[in-house]
Structure formats: C-alpha cells, structure tokens
Amino acid sequence: MIKGSCCCGAVQFEISEKPSMMGMCHCSRCRKLGAGALAFVRSDTFKITTGIDNISTFKAVPPYKYNRCFCLVCGTALGEVLSGLESFPINANCIDSEIGLENKFHEFVSEKPSWFQIGDNAKQFNEHPHE
C-alpha cells in the first residue's frame, strides 16, 4: 500500500497500486498552487483514509480541466483527490513513499516562466496533452 498525506497530516490517503504516470504542469495556476508534479491514479485504487472534511476544492475554468483540492488546515495542494473521474492527478509531492516513476510529460509549457529550464527529455505540450 502506498501512503500519502498533506503537510500537517490532517488529510491522509492510500493508493493500492503504483500511479500510471507522472507529469509536470507549468501553468500559472499549478505553479501558484505549488502542485506542478502530478501523479495519475485510478479512482478504484485511491482512498482518502483520514480528513475528507478537511478538503476544499478550487474549481477549474477553461482551458484547465482539473479542479484542485487543498487541505483546509495547512493549505497543502493535493491535486484532484475528490475527482469523480476514472483517472485523475494528485500532487506527487504528497506521496510519502518512493513510487519509482519518471516524468513522462510537461504540459502548459506555453505558460512556463522564462527563468525555468526543463531539464529532461519528456514530451512537451502547450496545453493539456491530447488523449
């Protein structure tokens, strides 16, 4: 079982299998939220074990398609942990154990600040990758 949590531990979760992939989002929203490293999990493998009442949601507006959830106690960006989708992103930095994934893509590179240099060979997209 892979465990994860917010900074203060008020929100905790478990993932029963390794996330399917990891990507980096460079949109202004994710950068400001502190949640640019995203691990994608399937809903049937993800479970909030503690603190569901401590989660608040910031609703997405186009061109963004994912809402972002936060711990109401410490403010940690959690990703889309309250998603109803079959697969959704969570903040990879909230995973408390090693998951052995490498970055597969960079999205919203069109919004990346000029001072940040991408240092890997992962695919790059100007917006969300096309499915």
Side-chain angles (χ1 to χ4, degrees):
M1 192 64 64
I2 300 167
K3 296 187 182 285
S5 61
C6 65
C7 187
C8 72
V11 177
Q12 298 177 27
F13 59 86
E14 294 179 343
I15 311 166
S16 61
E17 67 181 42
K18 182 175 162 178
S20 61
M21 70 174 156
M22 188 173 78
M24 295 293 295
C25 184
H26 300 280
C27 79
S28 61
R29 187 178 71 139
C30 284
R31 286 186 288 114
K32 288 178 181 184
L33 299 174
L38 303 169
F40 288 77
V41 298
R42 287 192 353 251
S43 61
D44 62 346
T45 68
F46 182 85
K47 178 182 176 186
I48 296 171
T49 57
T50 302
I52 197 164
D53 293 337
N54 290 323
I55 299 173
S56 181
T57 302
F58 178 72
K59 300 288 184 184
V61 295
Y64 312 111
K65 68 179 186 179
Y66 294 111
N67 296 328
R68 291 293 181 246
C69 298
F70 301 88
C71 171
L72 288 170
V73 179
C74 66
T76 297
L78 301 165
E80 192 166 339
V81 298
L82 298 179
S83 175
L85 299 174
E86 185 177 316
S87 175
F88 55 89
I90 64 171
N91 183 351
N93 293 307
C94 290
I95 298 172
D96 294 330
S97 54
E98 180 59 46
I99 55 173
L101 286 179
E102 290 187 20
N103 189 45
K104 295 291 183 197
F105 68 89
H106 294 271
E107 65 179 0
F108 287 94
V109 295
S110 59
E111 294 184 32
K112 177 186 74 58
S114 60
W115 53 261
F116 183 82
Q117 299 299 311
I118 294 174
D120 62 23
N121 293 321
K123 292 182 181 178
Q124 296 182 24
F125 302 89
N126 282 331
E127 292 188 354
H128 287 297
H130 299 293
E131 298 178 68

